[in-house]
């Protein structure tokens, strides 16, 4: 499937979750077997040559794409979770969203020292979430091998927050 065909399966939802935000809903793409498979293949095409050991994604949509990508590449998957969800000792990072603030945690032993990690998310908006995940990887002395998105909202300039990292997105707006 082409990028244009995948893009046709992304729905714009105006004023969600708050007024003025145009939410990019990827559920029709995820719910379509051919499109989901093609998306994971295209993510893997970029990620594979960067030789990751681990894919790191945040709940909830980062789990869907990250889990499938890790499986496709034979990598481990590390979940970044909201506070209070992981049962053992964690490290955390706080970030500003396009709407509100939040923090993400990973288990302190989730990323072995020197492990190559690709950070994935569904949407790059302001880049706050992605830079928090990058910070978590580096706190644990992992190596950020790439930062990958299905969608990039280029008009929000989130890439600037990820300056110096290898950043890629499949679909741009
Ligand atoms: P940011 O930290 O601003 O780059 O926001 C990225 C996170 O917020 C991603 O995990 C997205 O799931 C979510 N997000 C932010 N803006 C949007 C949007 N317009 N449509 C869909 N998801 C969004």
């Amino acid at each position: 499937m082409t990028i244009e065909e995948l893009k046709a399966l992304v729905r714009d939802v105006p004023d969600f979750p708050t007024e003025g935000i145009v939410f990019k809903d990827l559920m029709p793409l995820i719910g379509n077997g051919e499109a989901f498979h093609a998306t994971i293949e295209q993510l893997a095409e970029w990620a594979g040559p960067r030789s990751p050991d681990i894919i790191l994604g945040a709940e909830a949509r980062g789990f869907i794409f990250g889990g499938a990508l890790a499986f496709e590449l034979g990598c481990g998957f590390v979940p970044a979770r909201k506070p209070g969800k992981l049962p053992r000792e964690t490290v955390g990072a706080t970030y500003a969203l396009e709407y509100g603030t939040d923090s993400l945690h990973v288990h302190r032993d989730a990323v072995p020292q020197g492990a190559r990690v690709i950070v994935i998310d569904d949407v790059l908006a302001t880049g706050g979430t992605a830079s928090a995940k990058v910070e978590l990887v580096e706190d644990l002395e992992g190596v950020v091998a790439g930062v990958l998105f299905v969608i990039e909202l280029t008009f929000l300039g989130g890439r600037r927050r990820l300056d110096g990292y290898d950043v890629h997105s499949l679909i741009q707006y």
Side-chain angles (χ1 to χ4, degrees):
M1 282 178 95
T2 65
I3 293 296
E4 284 311 310
E5 287 169 322
L6 296 179
K7 206 169 183 174
L9 290 166
V10 178
R11 299 278 174 269
D12 277 3
V13 184
D15 299 321
F16 183 89
T18 56
E19 209 175 315
I21 301 291
V22 179
F23 190 85
K24 297 293 180 190
D25 178 23
L26 279 153
M27 295 310 155
L29 181 151
I30 293 168
N32 177 308
E34 194 189 347
F36 186 49
H37 194 254
T39 301
I40 299 304
E41 278 186 330
Q42 296 208 27
L43 293 170
E45 214 167 281
W46 186 86
R50 284 157 180 83
S51 308
D53 303 303
I54 285 169
I55 308 298
L56 183 146
E59 58 184 283
R61 283 158 291 165
F63 289 3
I64 299 170
F65 291 104
L69 177 63
F71 180 82
E72 174 76 15
L73 294 175
C75 291
F77 178 76
V78 169
R81 301 213 61 185
K82 301 285 168 61
K85 298 284 189 186
L86 290 168
R88 292 180 294 106
E89 192 191 344
T90 62
V91 293
T94 299
Y95 58 95
L97 271 177
E98 195 182 359
Y99 38 84
T101 69
D102 222 331
S103 42
L104 285 173
H105 289 248
V106 293
H107 274 139
R108 186 171 283 286
D109 63 1
V111 177
Q113 188 180 17
R116 293 179 60 77
V117 180
I118 287 190
V119 170
I120 187 164
D121 206 351
D122 60 338
V123 175
L124 171 60
T126 65
T129 321
S131 51
K133 281 174 276 186
V134 163
E135 194 183 311
L136 289 174
V137 172
E138 293 184 341
D139 273 358
L140 296 175
E141 298 180 50
V143 175
V144 177
V147 190
L148 182 56
F149 303 92
V150 180
I151 287 177
E152 177 176 0
L153 305 178
T154 59
F155 52 89
L156 292 174
R159 241 175 220 263
R160 282 197 300 272
R161 303 276 295 270
L162 298 168
D163 206 25
Y165 294 96
D166 197 359
V167 179
H168 182 66
S169 59
L170 297 187
I171 300 172
Q172 295 83 29
Y173 292 89

